[in-house]
């Protein structure tokens, strides 16, 4: 196996694994250039944030204090919000 990781969001681009005949094949869905990762919104292959999945309505309570997070996915907070790790260098 062979993996390459960018310094833009820690993206996995590509992950090469051998097929039945031993030929390396990329099994990661993603873009062909770094500019596409910068210009097209998405999380292909990236470190997604401090947590994965959605926080319902972007709200949670910790130690009796309610926190409101940014809502970046149909009213929910997804993968660390709009400034998740996927856009970090």
């Amino acid at each position: 196996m062979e993996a390459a990781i960018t310094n833009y969001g820690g993206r996995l681009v590509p992950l090469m694994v051998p097929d039945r005949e031993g030929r390396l094949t990329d099994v990661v869905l993603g873009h062909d250039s770094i500019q596409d990762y910068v210009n097209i919104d998405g999380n292909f292959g990236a470190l997604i944030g401090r947590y994965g999945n959605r926080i319902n309505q972007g709200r949670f309570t910790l130690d009796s204090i309610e926190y409101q997070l940014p809502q970046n996915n149909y009213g929910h907070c997804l993968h660390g919000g709009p400034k998740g790790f996927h856009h970090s260098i």
Side-chain angles (χ1 to χ4, degrees), residues 5-49:
I5 300 172
T6 70
N7 64 346
Y8 182 67
R11 295 171 193 277
L12 181 62
V13 292
L15 177 62
M16 306 296 286
V17 297
D19 65 12
R20 289 180 211 190
E21 284 78 40
R23 294 178 300 231
L24 292 178
T25 303
D26 184 8
V27 295
V28 172
L29 178 63
H31 300 293
D32 292 329
S33 75
I34 191 64
Q35 283 303 339
D36 288 340
Y37 288 100
V38 172
N39 296 326
I40 300 171
D41 191 29
N43 299 316
F44 285 136
L47 297 171
I48 55 173

